[in-house]
Amino acid sequence: MHIIKQKREFRESLLSWYSREKRDLPWRRTSNPYYIWVSEVMLQQTRVDTVIPYYERFIDKFPTMEILADADENDLLKMWEGLGYYSRVRNLQAGVREVVSTYGGEVPTNRKDISTLKGVGPYTAGAVLSIAHGIPEHAVDGNVMRVISRLLVIEDDIALPRTKKIFEEVVMDLIDREDPSSFNQGLMELGATICTPKPKCLLCPVRDFCIAFHERKQEELPVKTKKTKMKVIPVASFAIRNDQQQWLLRKRPATGLLANLWEFPMVERMVGRTPQQMVHEQFGFELENLVELLSFKHIFSHLTWDMQSFEAQLQEVGTIPEDFRFFTEKEVEGLPKPVPVLKIWEEIKQGGKYDDCK
DNA sequence: AACTCGGGGTG
DNA sequence: CACCCAGAGTT
């Protein structure tokens, strides 16, 4: 293969570009495996610019694995508030607890052991091993698959699980044994800044090695077939306050969508119903007797929801009234809430009244 | 192998 | 508004 003969030159081009152009990011100023681990978990789901402030706050609040292991779940979720994929922070804590209790507080330095930790899959395992410990292991994420698929014109469908193995083998063949950390990060940095879905080939430090560029088909790669087919479910959300100026919130179930986060009571939006009717029909109590409806909004309409899981959640609303509790304004501030609820809460504090319900 | 799990960015 | 992004766990 074309690039195989030029592996050394490829590495040199990539590494010198990376050392010249790499962004100055907080987690690039440390080799603490725990900090690298935290950053990788955050970066799995969110863009760099979004992660930076979360990372700083998280490390500030939980500076050691022992402190994170002892943390209260509510505080944990609060630090993750707004990042999404909330089960991952609980997996992170579970993994950290495992390291503290069974690995003597040392993050394992081999793929087999580190992969047993909760929330640590093939990518995160390779990232921590290579970046924190300088071990030559592959760390194949979406960026790397995009870069490699173009570099070698690999046209396998990257949506298929088995395709990832191909890329892992290529990376193990190409990887720089002297500096696997910079090599892996260089590939990802390239994918994040140059070899983007709409590639900027004129700026690319390794375009001379890129077969797709020579064949003018970089725009067609990588091949990806899967398409998501989610439904949008319009939802009505109720901000209800009692005579003691406390707000009625509901803790979501421990599993599934937005697990363990707090929300305003929420129902599927019903055309032609008044808020009072919807509360009565779906929550089973009379709004007038108990509380004052201060705000009523349609939210989540921009999210994609799976109809079945939503129906399951409606069942929960009807059958587990213990999840409903009244909180003072100060208490509400301390509860971890998903972004749409945060936005409603902001509006309420600024005196927002309820939407129409047509 | 297919599905679940959020939120932000882009066109 | 539609569409794109992406790794790990669960089933």
Side-chain angles (χ1 to χ4, degrees), chain A residues 151-331:
Chain A
L151 205 61
L152 300 180
V153 186
I154 294 173
E155 296 179 282
D156 301 70
D157 180 5
I158 65 165
L160 269 43
R162 64 169 178 274
T163 304
K164 218 175 100 180
K165 298 195 66 170
I166 299 173
F167 291 95
E168 289 168 353
E169 285 167 16
V170 170
V171 168
M172 288 311 285
D173 181 50
L174 287 180
I175 198 167
D176 188 303
R177 306 243 150 204
E178 302 296 307
D179 192 354
S181 168
S182 296
F183 182 87
N184 279 342
Q185 292 190 80
L187 280 183
M188 291 189 269
E189 187 87 346
L190 195 63
T193 61
I194 308 282
C195 199
T196 49
K198 297 279 181 194
K200 308 168 176 72
C201 297
L202 295 183
L203 302 173
C204 182
V206 294
R207 72 172 175 213
D208 288 348
F209 305 89
C210 182
I211 301 175
F213 177 73
H214 288 303
E215 298 180 0
R216 309 261 187 272
K217 51 182 173 186
Q218 63 273 21
E219 300 268 1
E220 279 78 69
L221 291 166
V223 175
K224 191 178 167 190
T225 59
K226 257 186 198 161
K227 40 183 175 256
T228 163
K229 46 175 196 297
M230 291 293 218
K231 280 181 181 172
V232 174
I233 309 295
V235 169
S237 185
F238 301 86
I240 296 168
R241 194 167 66 175
N242 67 9
D243 53 7
Q244 296 168 59
Q245 305 295 295
Q246 294 172 314
W247 298 94
L248 182 62
L249 295 191
R250 174 205 175 214
K251 189 175 189 178
R252 297 181 55 86
T255 58
L257 192 64
L258 304 172
N260 286 354
L261 269 68
W262 291 85
E263 68 185 7
F264 294 110
M266 210 172 70
V267 298
E268 186 174 357
R269 178 180 174 182
M270 295 192 294
V271 178
R273 299 284 209 290
T274 67
Q276 286 76 13
Q277 285 170 330
M278 287 198 283
V279 167
H280 176 68
E281 288 172 26
Q282 300 201 36
F283 299 144
F285 56 79
E286 294 295 338
L287 197 54
E288 291 83 354
N289 298 342
L290 185 60
V291 290
E292 171 194 13
L293 180 69
L294 273 205
S295 181
F296 168 73
K297 289 271 184 188
H298 298 139
I299 59 163
F300 287 112
S301 56
H302 67 293
L303 285 180
T304 53
W305 290 65
D306 175 74
M307 181 60 94
Q308 280 190 333
S309 65
F310 182 76
E311 283 168 354
Q313 285 151 26
L314 282 187
Q315 294 279 337
E316 298 283 348
V317 171
T319 55
I320 312 186
E322 311 87 73
D323 286 348
F324 289 94
R325 273 185 55 191
F326 281 102
F327 293 95
T328 65
E329 179 162 333
K330 204 174 187 67
E331 288 169 333

Side-chain angles (χ1 to χ4, degrees), chain A residues 76-93:
Chain A
L76 203 59
L77 284 170
K78 190 67 188 170
M79 297 305 290
W80 213 262
E81 184 180 79
L83 263 185
Y85 290 105
Y86 300 92
S87 67
R88 299 196 180 199
V89 71
R90 290 182 300 161
N91 287 338
L92 174 64
Q93 187 186 39

Side-chain angles (χ1 to χ4, degrees), chain A residues 35-73:
Chain A
Y35 294 168
I36 303 293
W37 185 3
V38 170
S39 74
E40 289 301 338
V41 171
M42 288 184 172
L43 287 164
Q44 281 166 14
Q45 56 202 41
T46 317
R47 287 173 153 67
V48 165
D49 291 342
T50 308
V51 165
I52 291 173
Y54 281 92
Y55 172 84
E56 305 272 23
R57 283 191 305 140
F58 195 94
I59 295 301
D60 202 51
K61 177 107 174 177
F62 309 114
T64 69
M65 289 193 282
E66 288 73 17
I67 291 172
L68 178 59
D70 289 338
D72 174 75
E73 185 185 303

